[in-house]
Amino acid sequence: MDPASALESAHQLLNDAILYHEGEPVGTAAALDNSVAAENYEECFVRDFVPSALVFLMEGKPEIVRNFLCLILELRNQQSVMAGHERAPGLMPASFKVPKKSDASATPSADFGDRAIGRVAPVDSAMWWMLLLRSYVLTTGDLALAHSDDFQDGMRETLELYLQESFETSPAMLVPDASFMIDRRMGVYGHPLEIQALFYGMLSTAQELLISNDENKRLLRISKKRLQTLRSYVRIYFWLDLERLNEIHRYKSEEFGTGAVNLLNIYPESIPGWIDGWLSPGSGYMLGNLGPGRIDFRFFSFGNLLAILFGLTTEQQAEQIMNLYEYRWKALFGLAPLKICYPAVSGDKWAFTTGSDPKNVPWSYHNGGNWPCLIWAFVGAAIRTGRSELARKALDITLDRAPDDNWPEYYDGKWGSLIGRRSNHGQVWSAAGVIIAHQLLENPDSLPVFESINFQ
Ligand code: GLC
């Protein structure tokens, strides 16, 4: 398909996916595919709507984004008791369903993970909501919405919940497995990078959008402190390049007391074999996860790209991540965009990490599949680091592939050449991601949607 027709097909899918409530557009369905495996793909997922919303903002159609932001705020009151356990306000839904047209009086119903496969809590939703609010305010100038009582209450409740001390021993946020885009068991419990990037983005946003008054003083102070400590911690301890790898390789362990260098008691024996020779001089990345005695060396694309976009990495680290993409292009970008994580886990490790999940077999879905929806973050991060040529190459590959394959949700295979065995077609965030990527390259005026957060 030529690029113009490809973009037209993306727009068509996005527009067809718009969901209406009481005659107003309020979101987009996750996929338009009559044969989808799970019925909740008809629903609007908060994380999936973000790329759709960025397109609407870039194209001067902010109403749907405003309606969505207001609706999510309302829906957070629908939180149900799960297994007898009543949860704190501040969590926002993973997705919501709009009632059928014939049932106009009914209200949309939200899912807080209580209906979702695996019953996972969507920790990322409230953070995406706040980040989207920031993009909305930046593009429309409608600060009044963020400053309204309801929105200030919503932000406060979320910050109270997310800043509550639990059992963390570092500034990084502690979460259960599957609490974000990777919403199935994948060994991403603890302190996954994507959550840290979103947390950092949300805390920075709070500094901009919470009104500085007596009521908010304490939250503003602790969120500022946390974002500073989180940033230093991630920049130092999540970072891996050749120098750091050598350090870890020769780490002393069992260090007791305050002068320890190997703070988390990482045993060098836990370094996986594949990493030797995998990094080039001048490249590096943020590790997937970090906890006591544990480094997850897997490379997770979205976390790394969001860390660049939100300014959680240093500029040099951002460049080194892009160098790694260039150096390991086939492995990390592949024949269809974009590896979600590398490498896949297999054998006993797969059984143990995923609970023997047939959807997450090696090099498929969350376990090393390729996801076109990540293209917007890749192109945004590449442009931010001055690597437009990589951004262009990435978009060309995507335009060559995804529209002809009818916008799959994901691809399978080590190099990503196969349409995912259980993948939906008509996956809306695959199409929205391509439109954003194209806009960012063609029209730099559209950049304010993620004008970088540079909070000191
Ligand atoms: C899958 C993905 C999740 C996404 C949802 C809807 O569950 O893992 O990230 O939000 O599909 O597309």
Side-chain angles (χ1 to χ4, degrees):
M1 206 181 281
D2 63 277
S5 319
L7 285 162
E8 204 182 304
S9 142
H11 273 105
Q12 182 77 44
L13 176 57
L14 181 63
N15 287 331
D16 290 349
I18 295 178
L19 298 170
Y20 293 85
H21 177 56
E22 291 174 344
E24 297 293 328
V26 288
T28 48
L32 291 191
D33 181 343
N34 293 332
S35 57
V36 292
E39 63 178 288
N40 61 349
Y41 280 106
E42 293 168 12
E43 302 193 2
C44 176
F45 281 72
V46 171
R47 71 177 76 86
D48 294 48
F49 182 67
V50 170
S52 300
L54 295 178
V55 173
F56 294 127
L57 290 176
M58 284 172 160
E59 297 187 344
K61 297 173 194 150
E63 306 76 26
I64 179 169
V65 181
R66 187 188 165 92
N67 294 340
F68 168 88
L69 290 166
C70 296
L71 181 61
I72 294 295
L73 205 54
E74 249 175 77
L75 290 177
R76 80 190 196 289
N77 301 323
Q78 279 185 11
Q79 249 200 99
S80 56
V81 175
M82 186 150 86
H85 171 59
E86 199 166 334
R87 286 187 298 214
L91 193 71
M92 293 199 184
S95 65
F96 65 87
K97 190 183 178 119
V98 291
K100 296 249 170 333
K101 267 202 193 107
S102 50
D103 196 4
S105 59
T107 47
S109 65
D111 173 31
F112 290 83
D114 37 329
R115 278 190 271 127
I117 295 165
R119 308 295 177 271
V120 290
V123 178
D124 63 338
S125 281
M127 304 200 274
W128 278 122
W129 177 85
M130 217 143 127
L131 284 155
L132 184 58
L133 176 61
R134 178 180 189 271
S135 293
Y136 169 84
V137 171
L138 274 175
T139 24
T140 59
D142 183 7
L143 190 58
L145 184 71
H147 281 183
S148 65
D149 289 349
D150 283 353
F151 275 67
Q152 291 286 306
D153 283 350
M155 280 189 272
R156 257 196 306 273
E157 278 180 12
T158 292
L159 286 166
E160 291 287 2
L161 176 64
Y162 285 63
L163 286 165
Q164 203 174 50
E165 283 299 325
S166 64
F167 298 105
E168 290 93 351
T169 48
S170 78
M173 191 200 273
L174 181 65
V175 292
D177 213 342
S179 60
F180 53 105
M181 177 189 177
I182 296 181
D183 56 0
R184 284 171 175 247
R185 183 172 156 194
M186 265 290 287
V188 288
Y189 59 89
H191 306 93
L193 176 65
E194 184 173 323
I195 287 285
Q196 310 316 319
L198 289 168
F199 190 33
Y200 179 75
M202 175 177 77
L203 294 175
S204 312
T205 300
Q207 296 298 313
E208 296 175 358
L209 297 185
L210 260 195
I211 300 172
S212 167
N213 58 20
D214 280 352
E215 197 178 3
N216 293 337
K217 218 189 244 138
R218 186 186 60 87
L219 272 179
L220 279 168
R221 183 173 44 76
I222 56 175
S223 56
K224 181 172 176 184
K225 181 86 194 130
R226 185 73 175 264
L227 84 84
Q228 287 165 335
T229 49
L230 176 67
R231 184 176 50 203
S232 318
Y233 182 79
V234 170
R235 285 179 178 180
I236 296 171
Y237 294 104
F238 273 73
W239 182 244
L240 191 79
D241 57 11
L242 276 177
E243 203 184 320
R244 183 103 178 100
L245 181 61
N246 272 285
E247 241 172 66
I248 300 173
H249 181 64
R250 292 172 59 81
Y251 256 165
K252 285 203 192 73
S253 47
E254 318 278 342
E255 291 174 293
F256 183 76
T258 47
V261 176
N262 182 1
L263 277 191
L264 294 165
N265 197 36
I266 304 296
Y267 292 105
E269 289 77 3
S270 67
I271 298 175
W274 61 267
I275 202 102
D276 176 33
W278 200 70
L279 291 165
S280 62
S283 72
Y285 67 102
M286 292 287 176
L287 294 161
N289 209 328
L290 195 62
R294 174 185 183 219
I295 289 183
D296 185 340
F297 284 87
R298 284 176 293 175
F299 176 91
F300 287 86
S301 278
F302 209 20
N304 272 279
L305 298 171
L306 293 177
I308 296 176
L309 280 171
F310 299 155
L312 176 57
T313 63
T314 64
E315 278 184 22
Q316 198 192 334
Q317 288 171 338
E319 271 171 38
Q320 289 183 247
I321 295 169
M322 282 298 153
N323 289 344
L324 183 64
Y325 268 110
E326 199 169 16
Y327 182 59
R328 292 285 171 199
W329 185 259
K330 207 168 155 198
L332 296 183
F333 195 90
L335 300 173
L338 180 68
K339 197 56 88 195
I340 192 169
C341 82
Y342 181 94
V345 283
S346 51
D348 284 350
K349 207 163 174 201
W350 161 77
F352 175 73
T353 309
T354 68
S356 301
D357 182 349
K359 202 164 173 180
N360 273 336
V361 290
W363 307 113
S364 186
Y365 203 52
H366 297 144
N367 186 15
N370 288 36
W371 289 64
C373 64
L374 300 176
I375 189 67
W376 71 268
F378 181 85
V379 166
I383 294 178
R384 190 178 160 153
T385 43
R387 305 295 284 274
S388 302
E389 79 299 342
L390 270 192
R392 168 66 56 200
K393 181 172 161 188
L395 179 60
D396 287 348
I397 294 173
T398 316
L399 282 172
D400 252 8
R401 221 35 234 279
D404 281 329
D405 295 341
N406 189 14
W407 305 107
E409 181 186 18
Y410 66 96
Y411 289 86
D412 283 346
K414 192 162 183 191
W415 311 126
S417 70
L418 307 158
I419 298 175
R421 181 168 290 154
R422 293 175 162 88
S423 163
N424 303 324
H425 288 104
Q427 185 78 21
V428 176
W429 64 356
S430 301
V434 164
I435 305 175
I436 303 172
H438 176 260
Q439 282 271 26
L440 288 175
L441 274 161
E442 298 303 312
N443 176 14
D445 289 348
S446 53
L447 276 172
V449 274
F450 19 75
E451 191 174 283
S452 44
I453 302 174
N454 261 331
F455 190 77
Q456 288 315 304

